[in-house]
């Protein structure tokens, strides 16, 4: 059976856009439940400015309480974020840039070239156990500048690929890509000689195309490193208006497993993992499998609480 790797990003990408404050204990329980469902690698939080993303202001409290066996990833945007992450022992570090300068200007207060230079400078001092990921956002469309030229995407990916990064995660930040777009980019990356083993795909699911995009990527090559997704399809970026949640991990696991690709994830446990968070948010997530399974239980919990 072919195996497909999944990077769960729910505790970071899934929660960063939520206005309802979620207690650190609830986040920890969410992360433990995700681990128990068989997800070994989870992006747990961000060391970004708490003024920019208040929901993740508790990153330095959360990280030291994580189970040591978890392969926990954190997102950092600048030197201050790296310093805060290192101070609590985080060493799987994700940094970020984008193919569109209009996006980095709103999301990071830096031009694209500044963002790329900053991201790569954060990778320079690599510790012996470190693992490194670079996000390249807006590889299809930018919420501010529209369609992003393929040449800009390839130039950014080339610059990032020349670094020590183990992983490059390509973000369909606002979930506009179609399988045709993915085929074009995937084939261009292979033509450029970018090693598919370093490439992760990060699809948001605004228009319901994310799962089709995963399958199209797999159709072009089965050698990609893996796919990012978020439990219950939570997610979005506060600086990417119009973006819906990430591809729901439940939907990804369901489809891959049914089609004979092993994920190592127990779908029932996974569906239960996000229930406390969904109840906290008093709504269901947009992921169709996740919300379908979780919604009836969550609705019952809400009705019981209201009685
Ligand atoms: P800035 O305002 O230009 O920063 O923001 P600054 O250096 O001028 O600092 C302003 C204040 O923030 C100062 O505090 C700093 O100390 C503090 P003050 O003196 O005013 O009290 N500060 C920090 N505090 C804690 N941690 C830090 C930090 N840095 C500065 N790391 C900055 C620049 C990069 C900080 C800001 O723009 C930022 O935090 N941006 C992050 C936004 C974000 O998290 N977006 C969502 C993640 S990206 C995403 O979702 C896309 C992705 O999923 C892939 C995809 O879907 O495509 C990854
Ligand atoms: Mg994202």
């Amino acid at each position: 059976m072919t195996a497909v790797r999944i990077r769960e990003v729910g505790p970071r990408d899934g929660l960063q856009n939520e206005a309802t404050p979620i207690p650190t204990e609830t986040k920890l329980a969410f992360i433990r439940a995700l681990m128990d469902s068989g997800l070994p690698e989870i992006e747990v939080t961000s060391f970004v400015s708490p003024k920019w993303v208040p929901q993740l202001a508790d990153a330095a409290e959360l990280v030291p309480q994580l189970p040591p066996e978890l392969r926990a990833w954190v997102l950092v945007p600048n030197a201050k974020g790296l310093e805060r992450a290192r101070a609590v022992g985080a060493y799987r570090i994700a940094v970020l840039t984008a193919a569109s300068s209009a996006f980095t200007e709103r999301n990071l207060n830096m031009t694209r070239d500044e963002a790329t230079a900053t991201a790569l400078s954060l990778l320079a001092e690599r510790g012996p156990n470190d693992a490194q990921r670079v996000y390249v956002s807006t590889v299809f469309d930018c919420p501010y500048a529209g369609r992003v030229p393929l040449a800009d995407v390839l130039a950014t990916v080339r610059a990032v690929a020349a670094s020590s990064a183990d992983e490059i995660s390509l973000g369909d930040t606002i979930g506009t890509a179609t399988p045709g777009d993915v085929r074009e980019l995937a084939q261009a990356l292979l033509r450029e000689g970018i090693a598919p083993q370093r490439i992760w795909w990060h699809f948001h699911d605004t228009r319901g195309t994310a799962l089709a995009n995963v399958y199209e990527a797999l159709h072009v090559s089965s050698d990609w490193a893996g796919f990012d997704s978020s439990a219950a399809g939570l997610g979005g970026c506060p600086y990417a208006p119009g973006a819906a949640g990430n591809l729901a991990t439940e939907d990804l696991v369901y489809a891959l497993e049914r089609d004979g690709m092993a994920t190592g994830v127990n779908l029932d446990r996974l569906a239960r993992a996000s229930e406390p968070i969904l109840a906290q948010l008093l709504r269901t997530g947009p992921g169709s499998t996740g919300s379908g399974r979780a919604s009836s239980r969550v609705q019952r919990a809400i009705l019981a609480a209201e009685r």
Side-chain angles (χ1 to χ4, degrees):
M1 201 188 212
T2 323
V4 176
R5 281 174 77 193
I6 296 177
R7 175 71 42 79
E8 171 63 39
V9 297
R12 193 278 301 170
D13 204 338
L15 300 186
Q16 70 184 10
N17 210 22
E18 295 295 342
T20 310
I22 298 168
T24 309
E25 296 68 43
T26 308
K27 294 177 185 172
L28 283 164
F30 180 38
I31 293 165
R32 281 194 212 98
L34 291 168
M35 278 179 74
D36 289 346
S37 79
L39 290 159
E41 300 196 39
I42 302 177
E43 195 166 285
V44 291
T45 189
S46 297
F47 289 87
V48 295
S49 164
K51 288 182 187 141
W52 285 60
V53 182
Q55 180 66 261
L56 303 182
D58 62 349
E61 284 77 60
L62 181 123
V63 168
Q65 298 184 64
L66 293 169
E69 64 275 22
L70 173 66
R71 295 208 289 278
W73 286 82
V74 299
L75 182 69
V76 306
N78 58 10
K80 175 153 190 176
L82 185 61
E83 192 186 309
R84 290 177 58 220
R86 291 240 187 260
V88 291
Y91 57 89
R92 291 186 187 86
I93 306 289
V95 299
L96 65 155
T97 185
S100 163
S101 199
F103 182 67
T104 58
E105 283 159 29
R106 305 287 183 102
N107 192 44
L108 295 168
N109 205 15
M110 301 176 207
T111 65
R112 179 188 58 203
D113 292 348
E114 286 166 354
T116 303
T118 301
L120 300 186
S121 74
L122 300 176
L123 305 182
E125 279 178 39
R126 186 179 176 129
N129 298 319
D130 283 10
Q132 300 178 333
R133 153 177 283 215
V134 182
Y135 280 104
V136 179
S137 287
T138 61
V139 297
F140 300 104
D141 288 278
C142 168
Y144 308 104
R147 190 92 188 198
V148 179
L150 182 61
D152 290 2
V153 178
L154 293 177
T156 311
V157 173
R158 243 184 263 121
V160 165
S163 76
S164 58
D166 307 292
E167 307 185 349
I168 302 167
S169 179
L170 303 178
D172 180 13
T173 312
I174 53 172
T176 48
T178 58
D181 297 328
V182 172
R183 184 167 57 247
E184 184 189 24
L185 177 55
Q187 288 174 342
L189 292 167
L190 297 178
R191 267 199 312 274
E192 285 275 318
I194 306 288
Q197 295 82 359
R198 290 172 86 190
I199 299 289
W200 290 74
W201 295 92
H202 179 108
F203 294 116
H204 284 260
D205 203 18
T206 313
R207 290 163 181 76
T209 54
L211 191 55
N213 290 342
V214 168
Y215 272 71
E216 188 59 35
L218 287 171
H219 188 67
V220 174
S221 171
S222 54
D223 291 334
W224 310 112
F227 299 91
D228 297 349
S229 62
S230 169
L234 290 168
C237 172
Y239 302 99
N246 292 78
L247 169 60
T249 311
E250 292 86 344
D251 293 348
L252 181 60
V253 168
Y254 169 77
L256 293 176
E257 291 280 341
R258 186 167 166 120
D259 288 343
M261 289 170 271
T263 63
V265 180
N266 178 303
L267 194 51
D268 285 324
R269 284 192 197 172
L270 174 62
R272 282 196 295 274
S274 50
E275 281 177 20
I277 290 279
L278 293 172
Q280 187 93 31
L281 300 174
L282 289 185
R283 64 166 176 77
T284 56
S288 45
T289 308
S291 61
R293 280 161 175 261
S295 63
S296 57
R297 291 197 198 102
V298 172
Q299 295 308 337
R300 280 204 301 277
I302 293 168
L303 287 173
E306 280 171 356
R307 249 182 245 128

